[in-house]
Amino acid sequence: MIEFKVNQREVSFDGAQDTPLLWVLRDHLDLKGAKYGCGIGLCGACTVHIDGKATRTCVTPVATVAGRQVVTIEGLAPSESVLHPVQQAWIEEDVPQCGYCQCGQIMAAVDLLQENPRPSDEDITNRMTNLCRCGTYVRIRKAIHRAADLIAEGK
């Protein structure tokens, strides 16, 4: 039995320890925000936070999160009526096109802003390695700058 927290809730998984965390989140905990994209940790559609760090769950065995804190896009906002500043910026800048990669993009952007509250365009390009097949990178960059402003304003 593997026990850990997801979005502040104690959960357990009684299955193969090498099961990718992505499938535990989606199939056992019914959290559908993290998506399957590549299965080899390259595209980032499956990104969540583990102990505050952006992590690609398609290559993360569930056993490695025992006793740890996982936050998915479903648990990112501080409440149902208040979005996280990155989520708010994504809406304000109209980032999504098809939307498939957006949960992973948002989780990666939050991680970036936690480490670098005022990233340059170059910082964003170097750190945001998630793929967007629709090519919304310009809007993603703009939203990250907007989120940095919102965070600095305390919103």
Side-chain angles (χ1 to χ4, degrees), residues 37-57:
C38 67
I40 56 175
L42 294 178
C43 77
C46 65
T47 303
V48 303
H49 291 176
I50 299 175
D51 293 337
K53 269 315 271 170
T55 305
R56 295 184 178 179
T57 59

Side-chain angles (χ1 to χ4, degrees), residues 128-141:
M128 292 295 293
T129 59
N130 294 41
L131 299 179
C132 175
R133 289 175 176 91
C134 299
T136 64
Y137 299 110
V138 171
R139 293 193 308 246
I140 289 169
R141 181 178 293 117

Side-chain angles (χ1 to χ4, degrees):
M1 182 74 66
I2 300 163
E3 297 178 349
F4 55 104
K5 282 187 176 182
V6 176
N7 302 332
Q8 303 297 325
R9 186 178 64 129
E10 296 281 346
V11 299
S12 60
F13 176 71
D14 189 17
Q17 293 196 9
D18 63 347
T19 302
L21 178 59
L22 175 63
W23 301 125
V24 174
L25 295 171
R26 291 183 61 79
D27 297 344
H28 297 276
L29 300 175
D30 203 33
L31 296 169
K32 306 295 188 189
K35 305 286 193 284
Y36 178 82
C38 67
I40 56 175
L42 294 178
C43 77
C46 65
T47 303
V48 303
H49 291 176
I50 299 175
D51 293 337
K53 269 315 271 170
T55 305
R56 295 184 178 179
T57 59
C58 69
V59 293
T60 303
V62 68
T64 65
V65 299
R68 298 173 77 186
Q69 173 66 43
V70 176
V71 176
T72 68
I73 191 77
E74 292 90 346
L76 186 61
S79 72
E80 288 186 22
S81 61
V82 178
L83 294 174
H84 186 281
V86 174
Q87 292 170 309
Q88 185 61 44
W90 241 246
I91 292 168
E92 290 176 13
E93 298 301 335
D94 196 27
V95 173
Q97 188 164 320
C98 82
Y100 195 83
C101 70
Q102 296 307 303
C103 295
Q105 297 278 6
I106 289 169
M107 298 305 283
V110 169
D111 185 52
L112 166 63
L113 291 170
Q114 287 172 345
E115 291 185 20
N116 183 350
R118 288 290 186 182
S120 67
D121 285 348
E122 183 179 358
D123 295 331
I124 293 169
T125 298
N126 290 336
R127 282 288 308 277
M128 292 295 293
T129 59
N130 294 41
L131 299 179
C132 175
R133 289 175 176 91
C134 299
T136 64
Y137 299 110
V138 171
R139 293 193 308 246
I140 289 169
R141 181 178 293 117
K142 191 173 179 185
I144 291 171
H145 288 300
R146 176 68 183 131
D149 292 341
L150 290 171
I151 292 166
E153 295 166 9
K155 296 183 180 178

